[in-house]
Amino acid sequence: MYVLVAPCIRNPACRARGITTDEDIRCFNRAVERCRRFSIEMVPLPCPETIYLGPDREPGSFLDRFATDEFAALLDGLESEVRTAIRARGEPPIAIVGVDSSPTCGVNATYYSSVKQPGRGAFLARFPDIPAIDVKEFARYRVYLAAPLFSEAERAYNLALCDLLEEHLFDVYLPQEVGDTSRTRSREEHRDIFAQHTAALRDVDTVVAVIDGADADSGTSWEMGYAYALGKKVVALRSDFRVVGHHERVNLMLEESAAVVTAKEDLPRALGSLFTVSS
């Protein structure tokens, strides 16, 4: 199991001079962490820009720096090398992890001209048959699962959701696994659990919330509101067919603060997954 990655994710020195920010480095490191967590091999692509202009180069758009016959020939050769390497492995990569804005390795946006425009960069465009994901999206893989956890059925359902998300390479924080399941807790345990859960909510990238029932669980609702206030992405699962109004499945404050899906199978795509990995 492997991904092809833009080489600057492993070696930021491949990038043009002065464009790499601290946030870029954090995203690159998180992408590496995700691959380590799920035992995904990171196979670096060649860097056409470095090969063509060298490592110490000024930033520039494709039209400014790379719109030449020589660069097109270079891309022809590099594409052939990559496809030969894929065939030798006997299986395709699960995705390409690129870097948006790059003239060659952009996924959703690229500087083809002096104005950033949608689409893949010149090198990644050579592989339309392989799913691609921007490194900043790939780096957002830590999920907090907010859900009621008071009955055996609820805890079993939460475990099933956790398994589903981990199959899509998401690292799930599951509150029921850190002692939040006893009615005999002391006051000190309450404080510890609250502190641990709020720290986890601050640390994750996304909250997945189960909002089934005649009214959504109060603790889950609080966690959704806290995550929303922190600027986190919230995805809510409402499989319950009951509705509370013509335009409301559940509380409107919860719906307006989240992307709502109605089947657990829709969660991975709502979180940005492009692939399924069997365990």
Side-chain angles (χ1 to χ4, degrees), residues 66-78:
F66 306 110
T68 67
D69 292 340
E70 292 81 5
F71 191 71
L74 174 63
L75 293 185
D76 288 342
L78 295 179

Side-chain angles (χ1 to χ4, degrees), residues 20-33 135 139:
T20 303
T21 66
D22 290 343
E23 177 61 22
D24 291 331
I25 296 298
R26 283 191 289 271
C27 288
F28 295 168
N29 289 339
R30 288 267 174 80
V32 173
E33 289 170 11
V135 65

Side-chain angles (χ1 to χ4, degrees), residues 179-198:
D180 197 11
T181 57
S182 171
R183 63 182 177 84
T184 60
R185 296 177 301 226
S186 67
R187 186 62 182 165
E188 290 73 19
E189 287 174 312
H190 280 192
R191 295 192 186 100
D192 290 343
I193 290 169
F194 179 81
Q196 186 165 347
H197 290 350
T198 52

Side-chain angles (χ1 to χ4, degrees), residues 221-278:
S221 300
W222 188 94
E223 289 162 328
M224 290 177 67
Y226 186 67
Y228 182 80
L230 291 172
K232 307 287 185 179
K233 180 178 180 178
V234 182
V235 177
L237 171 60
R238 174 74 177 178
S239 64
D240 198 322
F241 64 82
R242 290 171 291 184
V243 297
V244 300
H246 291 298
H247 304 291
E248 292 176 72
R249 286 163 288 202
V250 66
N251 183 286
L252 73 88
M253 299 299 286
L254 300 183
E255 289 190 53
E256 292 300 315
S257 63
V260 181
V261 299
T262 57
K264 66 180 185 296
E265 293 79 13
D266 295 331
L267 283 173
R269 184 168 296 278
L271 291 171
S273 173
L274 292 179
F275 38 73
T276 303
V277 178
S278 300

